[in-house]
Amino acid sequence: MKHAYLALSLATILNTPLVAFAAEKSQVKDSIEHIEVAGQVIKSQGLSVKNETIDGPFGDNLALQDIARSVTPISSELIEQLNITTLQDVLAVSPNTYSASGFGAPSLPTIRGQLGELFQDGTRRQAGNNGFGVPLSFNSVEQIDVVKGAPPVLFGSSQRNGGFVNLQSKVASTDESKGKASLSAGRWDQYSAQIDYTAPIIKDKVGFRVSYEHLDHGSYYDYSGTKSDSLFAALRILPDDKSTWDINFELYQVEFTDNAGINRPTQALIDDGLYITGQGVQANGSTVPAAGSIVSPTGQVNIDRSTVLTDPDNQNEATTYLIHSIYKRELSANASLKNITYFQHLQREEIAQNSFVEIIDGADTAQNRTELTYSWNDEQQTIFAFDVRYNKVLGYSQFTTEADLPIDLTGPLSNRRIPLTDAQKARLVELRPGVFVSPGAQYDIDNDGSGDFNLSDTTDSRSWQTGFAIQQDSDWTDKLHTSVGYRLDYYDVEARDPIAPQGQTAASDSINDTLQSGQVSFNYKLNADFTGYGAASYNEATSNSMAGGNVLGGGNVISAQNFATENTLVEFGLKYAPTNSDWYADGAVFSQRRSLRNRDGSNTGIRTTGFESQVFYDAYPYWLSAGYSYIDARYDNSASSQDSAQVADAFDNSRPDIIAGTGVGAPSFTPFAPSNSQVQGIPEQSFSFNGNYSITSKWQTGFSGLYTKSYPLDFLQTVKIRDQYTLNVNTSYAFTPSTKLRLDVNNITNQKNWRPVFEGGYFGATLAFPELPINAKLTLTHKF
């Protein structure tokens, strides 16, 4: 025991950069000299948000307590500690970030009850269509900054305004060589490998970094899996002592599964795992799933939670590459310049057996933003920004003949497949042999006054966004700081039908519009430890389809409503960041009004009010964090819709002992009148907690947990996901200072938890996603 205590004491001293020196005494025969040097022991393990700096959204090198917004910066150490591998995992540490499953492959964050934006190094990345898109690799990421509320004026007008995540890329080292390799293996044949190495090319002048990650993940779910490769390369150039230039490139290729979870989410399914059997039947007697099918229940069985709406013959893959350039230069003692350039190319193809098709034949996005920061004096600073963004999308879509509720998942695979009838094919266009998609516009071929085609998101669109922003930061006293910003964005957009029906002239349209945004905030230091803040913003945003493209709407024109999404935010908060303490805490109350893009392209107003708080303690050998959120999300006297009004609509009443079916048939698209009803699919309260304890200098153990309060799954609140929790544990052992083995056990109590499948609740009466049972992962890491 004494040896263990001695080893722990030595490790504590050797692993902290500042050591407290005890009083040193020396006695001489005739005099006594007393020398005392005092200092504070720094015991941080890099697992608190307190000392992280935030670059980009509101300026550069800002401390957390100086930002008048609710922010959670997640460092690389914290990413590793919390085992963050998807955007859903940020809920473990950032309050009010609960999300739907995103069909098993979330590509966007969910913040304060709505989809948020995804940025990297301050530029908006291409992402999914309403959250469903390409999975995200963290191979290129050094830090994740989670910010609540609409993007600030420096980032410009965008599409989603619940909040945003800004990924900070890895940078190359110019002064030392170092590397890291990791291998992991988990349950269901989930394997991954990563190697990351950086070194100077010319010491203190030029450095490079290369990181490669390979994932080969089997799955708990039937016919599911993920295989991906990510190659990241970075170059840092220091031309002189006044400038830096970071250039990075990522190539990412992935094959993944569109996982719609389990259909027919009755309360019995959620509570007891009981699934109603029986294939839906159309009015003509066909058992192929289609709108209006009615199920006569044949029984009720316990369904294996791995039995989900997937198909072994589905195709789903994507390839994307990104280039970022960030140049910073100090022009004078008062002025500095930053230029950010971004380019991304994306190709994606999904052809599913349930007739769903989404093909992006090419999406290209380029952006350049120049920021000039000028300090008039020690108290006044102005940031000017000029921004140009170009987006081009060629894509084909078809989701109009999907039908999930009629499918009996316990039957053969043929139950799930939707071969198109000749009548259905006639309302679509054949892209290539056997692949039918919607045209990008509507046509009345038979001249009966109504369109003859099914429309989805097919488009060939181009858009130019030109913006100018100004932000004024002022220190009025030692305690009071204000920031005021304004931005003007001019959009020039055109869209055309890339695959008009034979004999028809392809429809096209163009539109231009000017969007505005503004923000104002203050910080007031109550004392050395506490800072209060307030923020308000107004933001006019766009409504886009897949890959940020624009589609032709009714009348074959680009709807002006796509440029009329108004968003407001009012937020007040308090941050506690004491200098001589290991604690950090903050809390915020907020009210946001924003619009949600519906699946049919319309916008629905949503108003949310709530409270969120986070607290961190980081001092070796302990680390603790906790987060709490309360949100009241309601439709803002606004209409909504669902795939079906309620799950009972799929069934007749032949088995009232199982379900009181209404016999309406399903799917049966249902609009709901404007209301102030609670938004489905969002828990009002959630609580997360995390911890770590170093048993010795080599051996650590940790835990994390998440609790969410009961919430309705569908608009009519006929089915609820009950209170639920998840507990995870981990332990790691360092064989040497460079080599560590870690074991993660997730959902250790094997809870049978559920999530919504899709943001906005559109499939709330149709689908529910079963979360993973208990599972484990072993990771070996070696630094060199």
Side-chain angles (χ1 to χ4, degrees):
M1 184 67 184
K2 291 181 179 179
H3 294 302
Y5 180 79
L6 177 61
L8 179 60
S9 301
L10 288 172
T12 303
I13 294 172
L14 292 174
N15 286 288
T16 53
L18 181 63
V19 180
F21 293 88
E24 180 184 354
K25 299 181 180 179
S26 61
Q27 295 185 2
V28 183
K29 182 177 181 179
D30 296 326
S31 65
I32 299 176
E33 182 182 15
H34 182 80
I35 302 175
E36 182 174 349
V37 179
Q40 180 194 4
V41 178
I42 295 179
K43 299 178 290 183
S44 172
Q45 303 167 87
L47 298 177
S48 174
V49 301
K50 177 181 177 181
N51 298 316
E52 301 301 328
T53 59
I54 289 82
D55 287 339
F58 309 95
D60 286 345
N61 300 314
L62 296 179
L64 187 58
Q65 61 267 30
D66 294 331
I67 297 176
R69 281 284 193 91
S70 178
V71 183
T72 307
I74 306 173
S75 65
S76 58
E77 293 85 2
L78 200 49
I79 292 172
E80 180 179 345
Q81 173 61 39
L82 295 174
N83 191 29
I84 293 176
T85 58
T86 74
L87 285 172
Q88 287 181 333
D89 296 333
V90 299
L91 179 60
V93 69
S94 182
N96 259 328
T97 56
Y98 182 82
S99 64
S101 72
F103 289 95
S107 64
L108 289 168
T110 299
I111 301 173
R112 290 181 176 170
Q114 192 198 351
L115 284 173
E117 289 289 11
L118 179 64
F119 292 82
Q120 185 161 6
D121 299 325
T123 55
R124 179 160 48 105
R125 285 183 53 142
Q126 289 174 352
N129 183 6
N130 281 18
F132 175 58
V134 180
L136 178 67
S137 168
F138 288 121
N139 180 47
S140 65
V141 176
E142 188 73 27
Q143 181 170 310
I144 304 170
D145 296 331
V146 184
V147 185
K148 315 299 172 58
V153 296
L154 292 180
F155 280 9
S157 173
S158 59
Q159 179 182 357
R160 306 167 184 93
N161 295 276
F164 63 94
V165 167
N166 185 37
L167 308 175
Q168 294 190 27
S169 298
K170 296 175 178 177
V171 297
S173 172
T174 60
D175 58 2
E176 64 174 333
S177 301
K178 57 183 178 180
K180 179 180 177 180
S182 64
L183 298 170
S184 71
R187 191 179 180 187
W188 308 301
D189 296 322
Q190 297 195 348
Y191 305 103
S192 64
Q194 183 187 59
I195 185 165
D196 185 352
Y197 180 73
T198 182
I201 299 174
I202 302 175
K203 189 171 178 60
D204 298 326
K205 290 290 184 182
V206 182
F208 78 96
R209 185 167 186 170
V210 176
S211 184
Y212 172 73
E213 178 188 64
H214 174 73
L215 270 63
D216 188 351
H217 282 183
S219 178
Y220 162 73
Y221 306 106
D222 291 346
Y223 315 120
S224 297
T226 302
K227 291 184 179 181
S228 69
D229 292 277
S230 170
L231 175 63
F232 173 79
L235 186 69
R236 165 161 279 196
I237 303 171
L238 305 178
D240 50 47
D241 61 353
K242 297 183 182 297
S243 57
T244 63
W245 189 13
D246 289 298
I247 306 169
N248 59 63
F249 169 83
E250 181 182 9
L251 173 64
Y252 179 61
Q253 193 279 330
V254 61
E255 298 176 18
F256 62 104
T257 302
D258 174 353
N259 186 343
I262 297 178
N263 62 343
R264 304 180 181 177
T266 62
Q267 198 63 58
L269 176 70
I270 300 300
D271 292 347
D272 303 311
L274 295 175
Y275 183 84
I276 301 175
T277 59
Q279 184 75 355
V281 180
Q282 298 182 41
N284 62 6
S286 172
T287 57
V288 173
S293 296
I294 297 177
V295 181
S296 296
T298 58
Q300 197 171 30
V301 299
N302 277 294
I303 190 170
D304 192 314
R305 290 166 59 87
S306 65
T307 305
V308 291
L309 280 168
T310 53
D311 193 296
D313 291 340
N314 287 352
Q315 303 173 44
N316 198 10
E317 59 185 6
T319 300
T320 186
Y321 61 84
L322 304 89
I323 301 171
H324 280 93
S325 167
I326 306 169
Y327 177 77
K328 298 179 181 180
R329 181 168 181 81
E330 182 183 335
L331 301 176
S332 68
N334 297 328
S336 62
L337 178 76
K338 178 166 73 171
N339 181 271
I340 303 173
T341 302
Y342 153 75
F343 176 80
Q344 181 175 1
H345 174 78
L346 169 68
Q347 288 185 281
R348 175 167 184 245
E349 179 163 302
E350 177 176 6
I351 302 174
Q353 297 303 307
N354 69 345
S355 76
F356 177 83
V357 176
E358 184 169 291
I359 296 172
I360 300 175
D361 260 357
D364 295 303
T365 304
Q367 183 173 353
N368 182 273
R369 183 168 71 248
T370 299
E371 298 176 12
L372 175 65
T373 303
Y374 189 83
S375 298
W376 304 95
N377 51 47
D378 291 341
E379 291 80 32
Q380 301 293 330
Q381 174 184 279
T382 306
I383 303 176
F384 304 91
F386 180 73
D387 209 338
V388 178
R389 181 180 175 90
Y390 172 76
N391 191 59
K392 178 183 181 299
V393 178
L394 174 60
Y396 307 93
S397 177
Q398 147 58 6
F399 52 67
T400 62
T401 56
E402 287 182 82
D404 296 325
L405 276 174
I407 296 169
D408 183 353
L409 272 178
T410 65
L413 281 174
S414 58
N415 278 7
R416 315 177 186 187
R417 295 178 172 173
I418 305 178
L420 299 177
T421 65
D422 289 340
Q424 290 172 323
K425 292 177 182 178
R427 297 187 60 84
L428 302 169
V429 180
E430 192 169 20
L431 176 66
R432 53 179 184 252
V435 178
F436 289 83
V437 298
S438 297
Q442 187 60 271
Y443 304 92
D444 180 12
I445 295 178
D446 57 12
N447 297 313
D448 65 351
S450 61
D452 297 319
F453 293 89
N454 296 346
L455 299 185
S456 47
D457 279 341
T458 296
T459 188
D460 181 1
S461 67
R462 296 166 181 79
S463 68
W464 284 95
Q465 175 186 351
T466 305
F468 175 77
I470 182 171
Q471 178 176 306
Q472 179 67 34
D473 298 317
S474 305
D475 292 316
W476 300 105
T477 68
D478 291 340
K479 293 186 175 183
L480 178 62
H481 172 86
T482 63
S483 180
V484 179
Y486 174 78
R487 176 160 176 149
L488 195 67
D489 280 286
Y490 177 77
Y491 280 86
D492 188 357
V493 179
E494 60 181 42
R496 63 181 296 274
D497 181 359
I499 186 167
Q502 187 174 4
Q504 300 297 307
T505 301
S508 64
D509 189 33
S510 62
I511 192 173
N512 54 68
D513 207 342
T514 301
L515 278 64
Q516 303 180 68
S517 58
Q519 64 191 42
V520 59
S521 66
F522 72 87
N523 298 68
Y524 186 80
K525 289 187 177 297
L526 303 173
N527 54 42
D529 297 339
F530 287 93
T531 301
Y533 73 87
S537 74
Y538 171 80
N539 173 279
E540 294 177 344
T542 63
S543 181
N544 306 107
S545 61
M546 58 180 172
N550 293 271
V551 296
L552 296 174
N556 290 346
V557 298
I558 302 170
S559 173
Q561 284 296 110
N562 291 347
F563 303 87
T565 304
E566 297 182 343
N567 307 274
T568 60
L569 163 70
V570 177
E571 180 179 320
F572 294 96
L574 183 67
K575 298 186 178 184
Y576 172 67
T579 303
N580 298 316
S581 173
D582 303 305
W583 290 93
Y584 173 83
D586 65 33
V589 293
F590 62 88
S591 176
Q592 289 187 204
R593 199 280 181 189
R594 56 197 188 277
S595 291
L596 173 73
R597 181 181 185 268
N598 299 317
R599 197 166 185 250
D600 64 358
S602 63
N603 292 320
T604 294
I606 295 175
R607 184 176 293 278
T608 59
T609 56
F611 169 78
E612 59 204 21
S613 180
Q614 57 186 353
V615 60
F616 288 82
Y617 176 79
D618 182 16
Y620 186 89
Y622 298 101
W623 169 72
L624 297 168
S625 80
Y628 170 79
S629 63
Y630 166 81
I631 185 170
D632 181 22
R634 296 187 175 275
Y635 293 103
D636 189 19
N637 192 29
S638 188
S640 182
S641 61
Q642 276 184 174
D643 184 52
S644 292
Q646 56 183 326
V647 66
D649 289 349
F651 304 96
D652 61 26
N653 200 30
S654 60
R655 290 292 304 273
D657 56 315
I658 296 178
I659 188 169
T662 66
V664 171
S668 52
F669 173 80
T670 306
F672 297 108
S675 72
N676 298 108
S677 299
Q678 179 183 359
V679 177
Q680 65 271 38
I682 303 171
E684 282 189 324
Q685 297 184 65
S686 64
F687 175 67
S688 63
F689 54 92
N690 308 279
N692 178 270
Y693 174 67
S694 296
I695 301 171
T696 70
S697 61
K698 295 184 176 181
W699 184 17
Q700 296 181 335
T701 185
F703 61 87
S704 65
L706 172 66
Y707 162 82
T708 54
K709 191 166 180 59
S710 174
Y711 60 94
L713 189 59
D714 61 320
F715 181 88
L716 296 177
Q717 303 191 21
T718 62
V719 177
K720 291 189 175 182
I721 293 181
R722 308 295 192 185
D723 292 17
Q724 57 186 25
Y725 69 90
T726 305
L727 296 176
N728 311 314
V729 297
N730 66 80
T731 186
S732 63
Y733 186 82
F735 297 98
T736 70
S738 301
T739 305
K740 181 173 68 175
L741 186 66
R742 170 173 167 141
L743 174 66
D744 286 276
V745 182
N746 303 311
N747 192 11
I748 193 168
T749 58
N750 203 30
Q751 299 300 298
K752 293 179 172 58
N753 294 333
W754 298 86
R755 278 185 190 244
V757 166
F758 193 66
E759 303 292 346
Y762 183 81
F763 291 107
T766 307
L767 304 167
F769 193 85
E771 295 191 16
L772 292 173
I774 183 172
N775 61 92
K777 181 175 72 172
L778 197 63
T779 304
L780 178 66
T781 304
H782 178 70
K783 296 180 180 179
F784 55 92

